[in-house]
Amino acid sequence: MAKKSRKKAKKARQRMEAWAAQAQAFNGQGFGGQGFGGQGSGRAAGGGLFDGLSRLLPAGRSEQFLLGAALGAAAAYVLSDDELRGKLIKSGLSLYSGIVGGLEEMKEQVADIQAEMAAAPDGPA
């Protein structure tokens, strides 16, 4: 029992140290003055871009199983309910058509701006 609590305490201490290092790297230093991809990009040593996301997920196996079971049950419910599945598909299609329509509008505006620039008396800048 004591070994488990010591291991948990050690893991918690390591997480706190990693968090403190990341907070110190970002606090007041921005991105280290070297852009987004440089050595001093504000990340803790050895940590990746999405390193902090691992803390959002459950750590224990039983917690991961319960999360997976809950997500699976939710997916099974959504896929088995015809009315809910239809609503989801309709909303997905309307979202897709809205995005496509917005992109088409943006293309049209870019073409208009290009035509205006070409028609200017001094030509394109």
Side-chain angles (χ1 to χ4, degrees), residues 14 17-19 21-23 25-26 36-55:
Q14 288 173 342
E17 289 172 358
W19 178 81
Q22 287 179 344
F26 281 105
F36 288 99
Q39 285 280 348
S41 62
R43 293 186 222 144
L49 180 63
F50 299 110
D51 189 40
L53 292 178
S54 64
R55 283 187 239 116

Side-chain angles (χ1 to χ4, degrees), residues 92-105:
L93 287 174
S94 67
L95 177 67
Y96 174 76
S97 65
I99 290 172
V100 169
L103 288 175
E104 290 297 324
E105 181 67 28

Side-chain angles (χ1 to χ4, degrees), residues 63-80:
E63 294 170 349
Q64 289 177 351
F65 173 76
L66 292 175
L67 178 64
L71 290 175
Y77 173 73
V78 167
L79 294 174
S80 66

Side-chain angles (χ1 to χ4, degrees), residues 1-17 59-61:
M1 211 52 183
K3 285 185 180 180
K4 286 184 180 179
S5 62
R6 276 187 257 149
K7 285 183 180 179
K8 285 184 179 180
K10 184 179 178 181
K11 283 184 180 180
R13 191 170 37 254
Q14 288 173 342
R15 279 191 225 128
M16 288 298 291
E17 289 172 358
R61 289 183 184 214

